[in-house]
Amino acid sequence: QILKGKRIYVKLRRLTVTDLKVSEPMIKQRTIAEIVKAIGIGLHKGEKVTITLRPASANTGIVFRRVDLDPVVDFETTPEAVGDTQLCTCLINKDGVRLSTTEHLIAAVAAMGIDNLIVELDSSEVPIMDGSALPFIYLLQKGGIEEQNVAKRFIRIKEKVRIEEGDKWAEVEPYDGFHIDFEIAFNHPAINESRQRIGLDITTQSFIEEISRARTFGFMKDIEYMHANNLALGGSMDSAVVLDEFKVLNPNGLRYSDEFVKHKILDCVGDMFMTGHNLLGKVTAFKSGHDLNNKLLRKIMATESAWEWATFETPVTMPAPGLELAPA
């Protein structure tokens, strides 16, 4: 029945995002907010290198760019891009163009949970800086972290994957977060005095506080040999922990009492990020290095049942870069 002559009042409510069923990802991709630059010395040539970090749009990934070449050459961050692991992690593209010493920067990017970044270099190598990841952490912090309105994608491990070479081995298994358990075995008095095995949940905070300052290390006899053959010309006590047959030669000693194994963990953080995506899983390794770590990552990605993409639309907190500071 129609009500004639009656006024009907209807209270209107403004439509909300919930009404429209449009949801934003809870855990978002990250880039840097501003362009930042630094200058350092290349490990191999011993020459000055300028590194420029630029923000990148969502789903770009981590792209290295050699601007000293004409035309410029880009390198994608993939396990297959790692073409040489002698002395460093070296990216090699399909044309044989090389970019060396990417490992410490990649570790810093992984630890900061950054998904999209352009790394420009006017040389064939990333500067070695002080031999650790800390200068790159500072550089990224100076650039600032900016979230992007696209879901961050993690690689979540579903089943154990293992690789062995002689007495060396590395494996990954499911874990709610990112954990590395690493053991080294060096027959050297100075290294034997330190702890040679560490297990640690890797978060942005734990990496900065416990891992980032750990420097690469080497032996004086090897450095002298390489210098004599025009190799590692930028290597010195300013960029590494240097040992003779008995002791650490650096005047200020070690930064951590267990700096040796912590640097191996630093390397592993970077090596496991060569997909450009943070890993959710537990890595356990014995006497592993860049080469074996890369082979493990390749085996993981080739084993379809071993991993899956993971995004988070609801609040979650677990020990992993990009997740540890998620809203409760």
Side-chain angles (χ1 to χ4, degrees):
Q1 183 179 2
I2 298 176
L3 298 176
K4 296 183 178 180
K6 300 289 185 180
R7 291 184 177 179
I8 300 175
Y9 295 92
V10 178
K11 187 176 182 180
L12 298 176
R13 179 172 61 85
R14 180 174 294 178
L15 290 175
T16 66
V17 171
T18 302
D19 294 318
L20 297 175
K21 296 184 179 179
V22 176
S23 61
E24 293 187 357
M26 184 60 64
I27 308 301
K28 300 178 181 181
Q29 292 183 22
R30 297 175 178 179
T31 186
I32 58 174
E34 299 178 358
I35 298 171
V36 287
K37 295 185 178 184
I39 297 175
I41 300 298
L43 172 64
H44 300 289
K45 294 183 178 179
E47 298 174 351
K48 184 175 73 172
V49 181
T50 299
I51 179 171
T52 304
L53 305 184
R54 296 184 181 275
S57 58
N59 296 321
T60 297
I62 312 301
V63 178
F64 286 87
R65 176 171 295 158
R66 281 189 58 181
V67 298
D68 59 314
L69 301 176
D70 185 15
V72 299
V73 175
D74 285 356
F75 300 81
E76 295 182 350
T77 302
T78 67
E80 293 73 26
V82 178
D84 187 359
T85 55
Q86 292 294 320
L87 301 179
C88 70
T89 295
C90 179
L91 308 184
I92 305 177
N93 74 358
K94 64 182 186 332
D95 298 318
V97 182
R98 301 168 68 93
L99 179 66
S100 300
T101 328
T102 59
E103 57 267 32
H104 302 159
L105 173 58
I106 282 287
V109 170
M112 296 295 287
I114 292 174
D115 305 277
N116 305 298
L117 188 69
I118 304 295
V119 181
E120 292 185 352
L121 297 142
D122 63 355
S123 174
S124 60
E125 54 187 324
V126 177
I128 188 63
M129 310 306 273
D130 69 348
S132 78
L134 189 61
F136 298 119
I137 291 287
Y138 286 154
L139 192 61
L140 292 166
Q141 289 176 330
K142 182 180 178 182
I145 304 301
E146 183 173 285
E147 288 192 330
Q148 300 165 296
N149 196 27
V150 178
K152 180 180 178 71
R153 295 202 302 169
F154 296 82
I155 291 175
R156 178 161 51 199
I157 300 301
K158 295 170 58 181
E159 64 184 38
K160 181 181 287 189
V161 177
R162 181 181 174 98
I163 192 162
E164 301 178 9
E165 284 189 357
D167 64 341
K168 303 175 183 179
W169 57 268
E171 66 181 27
V172 66
E173 59 189 313
Y175 186 80
D176 288 333
F178 183 38
H179 185 95
I180 296 179
D181 187 326
F182 207 103
E183 184 174 358
I184 59 175
F186 286 91
N187 185 21
H188 187 281
I191 301 177
N192 289 339
E193 289 178 0
S194 72
R195 185 167 48 159
Q196 296 200 54
R197 180 179 179 182
I198 294 178
L200 183 70
D201 281 341
I202 304 297
T203 66
T204 299
Q205 182 176 352
S206 71
F207 183 88
I208 292 174
E209 294 179 355
E210 299 292 332
I211 302 297
S212 69
R213 296 171 60 238
R215 296 159 293 176
T216 190
F217 57 95
F219 299 93
M220 178 59 76
K221 61 181 181 180
D222 297 329
I223 293 174
E224 291 173 343
Y225 171 81
M226 287 187 289
H227 284 180
N229 289 275
N230 288 321
L231 299 171
L233 297 178
S236 70
M237 292 186 197
D238 293 327
S239 58
V241 177
V242 181
L243 305 101
D244 64 12
E245 294 180 359
F246 306 102
K247 63 185 181 300
V248 173
L249 298 178
N250 300 62
N252 295 325
L254 299 176
R255 294 177 174 178
Y256 306 104
S257 61
D258 45 10
E259 188 167 359
F260 304 105
V261 67
K262 284 187 172 179
H263 186 78
K264 288 294 188 178
I265 290 178
L266 186 159
D267 283 341
C268 187
V269 170
D271 292 338
M272 292 295 106
F273 190 70
M274 284 306 300
T275 59
H277 298 274
N278 288 106
L279 188 77
L280 298 179
K282 178 182 179 181
V283 178
T284 307
F286 176 70
K287 294 176 65 175
S288 190
H290 292 303
D291 180 60
L292 197 60
N293 292 343
N294 182 255
K295 288 176 179 176
L296 174 64
L297 188 60
R298 292 189 187 210
K299 186 174 181 180
I300 292 167
M301 301 309 294
T303 309
E304 293 185 4
S305 62
W307 65 279
E308 65 182 0
W309 291 114
T311 59
F312 297 92
E313 304 292 337
T314 57
V316 60
T317 301
M318 62 178 68
L323 290 179
E324 75 274 21
L325 298 179

